[in-house]
Amino acid sequence: AEVAPKHIVSPLDVLGSVYAMETFSTTDGPGIRVNVFLQGCAKRCQFCCNPETWDMVDPENNPDFAMTDAEIATEIAKYKPFLTAHDGGITISGGEPLMQPKFVAAVYKQAHTMGITTCLDTACHGLEKDWIEVLDHTDYVMLCLKGMDDFTAATVAKVPARVMARSKVFARFIRDKYPHIKLSLRWVLMKGITDTDDELAKLISFAKELAPVFTKVELIPYHDLGSSKYAALDMEYCLDDMPTYKKEDAKAFQAQLEGAGITTVMAMI
């Protein structure tokens, strides 16, 4: 069989595994942003809208996924006039960006050289050394918590509870070591799972604990818009019986957060 040519990389460049890029995003951090979706994730979240990004791919041997930090910078530069206003910039999502810390850090350095902001959309992964490598060049973090109770989070993400506990460690690490970073918490509302009184109380307490870096909770009512992808990939979608989260219930949850003094926004689905 014919072997695909390897991606040619300069010694100064860092190669990453990239699934896709989205331009003119207004829902993934402040201002207008370029959103880069990386390939590879260790979690298997029940509600994931991008299951096609789960598998790790070696970019050296898969040129369709291969991009260098310099190539990303070249793409970003095309949109720089739009990105510089209102703290716009680049967001790196996934997949899980912290699975490729060297690449993310290299892209963020390029972005800062251009004078635009950097945002990390993550559910947490890796060790402190990986976090430091990325956070040294990060302005905003959007942390998707799968649940405050580690076992609830583990059920949602399909990984051990001890792994999910790291998400809260990561948030506290940002609070203690990176006071310049603006941290928001993304929270998917799932009926009877993440909207219970216990989860609400723990979320309120945790948000307050993260001052002064904490900025807001972004509520994302559960929807099944990504379910068709699972059929196309011949994968089981395990939330067929989960109802779409009602708007009135989401507003009630939001009101309780705001009543406790937590700034909250509702995602536009």
Side-chain angles (χ1 to χ4, degrees), residues 17-23 34-39 50 52-53 64-65 67 72 91-95:
S17 184
V18 178
Y19 173 72
M21 292 180 66
E22 177 184 281
T23 56
V34 172
N35 199 351
V36 180
F37 296 89
L38 301 192
Q39 183 70 29
N50 300 310
E52 68 276 24
T53 67
D64 289 346
F65 292 90
M67 289 190 77
I72 296 284
T91 296
I92 299 188
S93 183

Side-chain angles (χ1 to χ4, degrees), residues 52-105:
E52 68 276 24
T53 67
W54 286 351
D55 292 341
M56 283 300 299
V57 174
D58 179 3
E60 289 191 1
N61 297 312
N62 294 274
D64 289 346
F65 292 90
M67 289 190 77
T68 67
D69 59 305
E71 289 170 333
I72 296 284
T74 298
E75 288 298 309
I76 296 172
K78 298 175 183 178
Y79 308 101
K80 183 179 175 181
F82 304 98
L83 303 179
T84 50
H86 307 295
D87 286 331
I90 182 171
T91 296
I92 299 188
S93 183
E96 172 51 66
L98 286 175
M99 293 187 74
Q100 301 184 57
K102 293 185 185 305
F103 178 65
V104 175

Side-chain angles (χ1 to χ4, degrees), residues 8-257:
I8 299 174
V9 182
S10 158
L12 299 177
D13 293 340
V14 180
L15 187 65
S17 184
V18 178
Y19 173 72
M21 292 180 66
E22 177 184 281
T23 56
F24 293 96
S25 170
T26 58
T27 58
D28 298 291
I32 296 172
R33 312 193 71 79
V34 172
N35 199 351
V36 180
F37 296 89
L38 301 192
Q39 183 70 29
C41 185
K43 297 178 176 66
R44 296 293 183 265
C45 297
Q46 294 181 10
F47 50 67
C48 183
C49 293
N50 300 310
E52 68 276 24
T53 67
W54 286 351
D55 292 341
M56 283 300 299
V57 174
D58 179 3
E60 289 191 1
N61 297 312
N62 294 274
D64 289 346
F65 292 90
M67 289 190 77
T68 67
D69 59 305
E71 289 170 333
I72 296 284
T74 298
E75 288 298 309
I76 296 172
K78 298 175 183 178
Y79 308 101
K80 183 179 175 181
F82 304 98
L83 303 179
T84 50
H86 307 295
D87 286 331
I90 182 171
T91 296
I92 299 188
S93 183
E96 172 51 66
L98 286 175
M99 293 187 74
Q100 301 184 57
K102 293 185 185 305
F103 178 65
V104 175
V107 172
Y108 282 179
K109 291 176 189 177
Q110 296 270 11
H112 279 161
T113 299
M114 284 188 277
I116 62 174
T117 65
T118 60
C119 180
L120 181 71
D121 181 6
T122 180
C124 182
H125 181 82
L127 305 174
E128 283 191 9
K129 65 180 181 62
D130 304 313
W131 303 348
I132 291 169
E133 187 163 24
V134 173
L135 294 176
D136 278 353
H137 310 284
T138 302
D139 300 307
Y140 298 89
V141 172
M142 299 185 298
L143 176 60
C144 185
L145 295 173
K146 312 304 178 181
M148 288 306 304
D149 176 80
D150 293 337
F151 291 96
T152 296
T155 299
V156 172
K158 297 185 178 180
V159 295
R162 58 179 172 76
V163 173
M164 296 314 299
R166 296 285 291 166
S167 299
K168 295 192 283 292
V169 174
F170 178 66
R172 295 181 180 112
F173 185 79
I174 293 172
R175 177 199 63 194
D176 295 340
K177 304 294 185 180
Y178 293 90
H180 74 279
I181 289 179
K182 295 178 175 62
L183 171 66
S184 59
L185 303 177
R186 285 185 151 179
W187 189 263
V188 178
L189 284 167
M190 304 173 72
K191 197 65 179 175
I193 300 175
T194 61
D195 66 347
T196 64
D197 290 343
D198 184 60
E199 285 290 295
L200 173 63
K202 289 177 178 176
L203 178 59
I204 290 170
S205 177
F206 188 58
K208 291 181 176 180
E209 179 189 332
L210 295 176
V213 297
F214 170 78
T215 58
K216 64 187 176 186
V217 170
E218 180 184 1
L219 294 177
I220 306 172
Y222 167 75
H223 59 81
D224 61 357
L225 298 181
S227 60
S228 60
K229 291 184 179 181
Y230 289 78
L233 294 167
D234 196 26
M235 297 168 61
E236 179 187 1
Y237 187 67
C238 61
L239 294 180
D240 279 335
D241 296 329
M242 173 68 65
T244 298
Y245 206 84
K246 294 180 180 178
K247 182 181 292 186
E248 56 267 30
D249 290 342
K251 287 183 175 179
F253 193 91
Q254 180 179 17
Q256 292 184 81
L257 282 170

